Amino acid sequence: MNKDDINNIRWSIKPERESIPGLILLSKELGEALNRMRNDINSFGLRKYYERLESIEEDYRLMKDFIKRGFDDPKREEVYNSLLKRLYHLHCDVMITRRKQNTSGFNYYSPFNVATMPLDDIRQRLESFVQDTALLSLDPSATNSEKKKAIYAEHHELTTALFYHLMTDTHWNEETQKFYQELLLSPTIDSMDAQLLVGALLLALLLAFDARKFATLLYLYQYATDPQVKQRALVGWALTLPKVEITLYPNLAEQLHKTVSSQAVQRELLELQYQIVYCINAEKAMQEINRDILPTMMRGQNIVMGTQTDEQKLQDILNPDAEERAMEELEKSYTRMMDMQQKGVDVYFGGFSQMKRFPFFNRASNWFVPYYPEHPELKPLEGLDEARLEQNIFAHSSFCNSDKYSLELAMAMIANQIPAELKNAINANGIEIQGDMDVDKSNPAYIRRMYLQDLYRFFFLNNMKEEFVNPFRGGGIVMRGLFFGNQLLAQVGLSSQFVTFGKFLYKRGLWQLLQLFTSIYELDTTLTSNEWLYFRAVAAMQTGKYGEAKRHFAELMNRLPEDDKVAHGYVETCIRSHDFAQAEQVLERLQGKGNISPEQELFLAKGYARTGKTEKAIELLFKLNYEHPDNMEVKRHLALTQLQEGRAETAIDLLNSIVYNNNNESDARDILYLAAAHWLANNTQKAIELFVNFLKKTGEKPNETRSGIDEILHLLDSMTEKYNRSAIDIRILTDIVADEMEANNSPNINND
């Protein structure tokens, strides 16, 4: 992969061209970008950055002077790009500093000044914690317990400070990058510390892209042996993939290319994208759970617990099979919920979302720290065996880390209110929360799912959520969450997985995401398969982009002239856009093959009627009415077509069967059609009665009655000549109906 490949990517998401990032990354206008940068530093009062700015300005001045004097510098483009890179780093650092000034949540005041602490001291302190806790396990005395609290408290203070530092750190140099790569892979530090700091790098990259931080996540993913660290690193770099920024870092693109060249990595990335899609649709899943699953589970729980009402007990006597069916429904609901959970659906978000208001969650770091019972901000559970409780609750259920903290914090609040008998049962291992006990919690997919759930809660519920791009909502989906839409991945060899992902979205009817995903690669000449074009066509149709859908389906019909699936798709698009002219020939072909749906035949019949082919329309409508006698829409159009042909009495019979049917499938328009049919058939009294009925149903106001009737009747202009009716006849009927409304003392008049 060369620099031209990167520069030729047609990015769907670009910075504003007039912004400093736009000037640097898109137009590469160094001079103007320098001027804008100086203005920003002045306006923000960040004088500490003057020296770096002046250094870039001076180097650029020397470069210009060298060229001005007529010297040829073969490395001038390389030097120019290096100046752009330095200025980009300066811009990002200024923006981060600015955020720290304006947002209290980005600052953490600690006795550990990790920003100035030597890197070796950081390593030594993290390693000492592992050694100290190992020694603690050898001494279970009460004195040791106090020592343990002090050790954990000091360590918590350090790691929290380190998290905030990394989250808001400026651009790394090579030394810092190498240090953290080695540190986070070291077996001599605690895995939970490494996991926490990897989370900090994710947030840092969402605030400002730093090639060295990104490369660190790539490195950790490639070489970490700890699955927790490895999967957090994967999620981190997938959600922070560079876009236009990559033009400044061609070496990073090469590193990315090497990483994703593995089939195993591509499969893992595909699985991760699936999981993120489930997160994106978490709200829809919650609605389904609350509407369809939880009510059934609650009813079933009453049976299991023996808490049935008297009415339910009576029903058991009258209907002895009811309990068995209820248990079957309970089992189905439970299985359905577990299946949703295993696929990656966040089934606990709704229940735990209200439990994130504890002060504990005011710190960003606490959303990313793996659960451990020694966390200094957890309160003791009065009268409860914490180890037993944790074993019973957390060992048998798939709660993400922040939900574990939520549950323990909530229980701490009510611990003193729990009856002694219940406490004894809990402490005696008498109570367990049953869940997905058989799940392999070391499985990479499971680890990612739990981490994604923690992230989902952070981006939606934390008090700093507006400061970050949310990868699970709105524009953040385009920018981050739908990372398969990053064109860089196509350039580094991942396009082979795009059709598979498209199929995933298609099967689940996720049309907005499918349309977004396929449109991103609209100009990608490598994605030309029939299946890919079909996804594009269907997605465009389902999202109302009918013109685009027709173009794609037309192209597919040229490629696959005998494919009925394609033909059906084209016809469906025409139906939705009311374009009979384009669909007629295809519909007739499908009809001839006997591969046409009733809906399509009805559309064909309506098209015939509109284009004057009424006999063909009537023939087809009679056939449909015979085959589908309960289809009121078919009857309605058959009646209107008969009316159009001068067969008012036949139309009246059909409309009567709609208006007066026992299934109540008619609406006000059917009364209108019946009224018109009676009028055209010279049944004037009945017509007037029905017109008044129609106007009352539609709630016509008195001052609108005459104009409303007049407008309605003029819709029949195409038929009036056939029935020897004139414009004067319409006017007279309008007045008669209006008079009748007034004579009947219409409620519309009283309410005026």
Side-chain angles (χ1 to χ4, degrees), residues 530 533-534 536-538 546-563 565-571 573-574 582 586 589:
N530 294 335
L533 188 57
Y534 182 75
R536 292 195 63 190
V538 172
Y546 300 125
E548 181 183 338
K550 283 179 194 175
R551 290 196 305 275
H552 296 326
F553 276 122
E555 173 62 25
L556 280 168
M557 287 197 297
N558 287 333
R559 297 185 187 184
L560 306 166
E562 300 302 318
D563 193 313
K565 184 176 73 172
V566 172
H568 281 293
Y570 182 80
V571 166
T573 304
C574 291
Q582 296 291 325
V586 182
R589 193 190 82 195

Side-chain angles (χ1 to χ4, degrees), residues 306-495:
T307 56
Q308 293 174 281
T309 65
D310 291 340
E311 184 179 350
Q312 289 171 326
K313 292 176 181 178
L314 178 61
Q315 285 298 317
D316 286 347
I317 297 171
L318 299 175
N319 190 357
D321 296 331
E323 182 175 337
E324 184 178 347
R325 290 196 299 271
M327 290 299 294
E328 289 176 357
E329 289 298 318
L330 174 63
E331 186 176 345
K332 287 180 182 177
S333 295
Y334 183 80
T335 303
R336 186 178 172 190
M337 196 162 177
M338 290 300 101
D339 182 60
M340 291 172 69
Q341 187 176 10
Q342 289 173 6
K343 287 180 178 178
V345 175
D346 191 348
V347 300
Y348 295 127
F349 177 77
F352 280 98
S353 60
Q354 300 301 315
M355 299 171 66
K356 305 301 183 190
R357 299 175 182 177
F358 296 104
F360 177 91
F361 294 108
N362 290 340
R363 290 181 181 173
S365 56
N366 281 337
W367 294 83
F368 290 84
V369 64
Y371 173 81
Y372 66 107
E374 298 85 3
H375 195 300
E377 295 181 52
L378 292 177
K379 298 178 180 179
L381 299 175
E382 184 180 328
L384 291 172
D385 185 336
E386 295 184 22
R388 181 76 69 185
L389 181 66
E390 289 150 13
Q391 179 183 356
N392 293 345
I393 294 177
F394 300 148
H396 301 288
S397 299
S398 293
F399 296 140
C400 64
N401 289 296
S402 75
D403 286 356
K404 291 178 182 178
Y405 284 120
S406 291
L407 190 58
E408 185 151 338
L409 289 164
M411 293 194 69
M413 289 183 64
I414 63 168
N416 61 352
Q417 302 174 29
I418 299 176
E421 295 81 2
L422 183 57
K423 286 183 180 180
N424 292 333
I426 295 172
N427 294 336
N429 203 26
I431 295 179
E432 292 183 355
I433 292 183
Q434 298 298 319
D436 48 346
M437 299 175 58
D438 297 330
V439 69
D440 180 6
K441 296 187 177 182
S442 65
N443 184 284
Y446 178 84
I447 295 171
R448 285 195 304 272
R449 172 159 49 102
M450 293 297 99
Y451 186 46
L452 286 170
Q453 289 183 10
D454 279 323
L455 291 178
Y456 190 87
R457 284 149 179 71
F458 173 81
F459 285 114
F460 277 96
L461 303 174
N462 90 93
N463 54 10
M464 292 174 59
K465 56 182 178 291
E466 301 303 326
E467 301 297 327
F468 296 94
V469 174
N470 186 339
F472 308 111
R473 181 179 67 185
I477 296 173
V478 184
M479 296 175 65
R480 299 298 179 191
L482 192 66
F483 68 87
F484 260 41
N486 188 309
Q487 292 96 314
L488 181 60
L489 289 181
Q491 287 298 112
V492 299
L494 199 68
S495 55

Side-chain angles (χ1 to χ4, degrees), residues 38 49-59 90:
R38 178 170 286 276
Y49 290 110
Y50 271 141
E51 186 176 343
R52 285 173 62 183
L53 177 66
E54 288 171 349
S55 174
I56 301 170
E57 288 176 332
E58 177 62 15
D59 288 348
L90 176 59

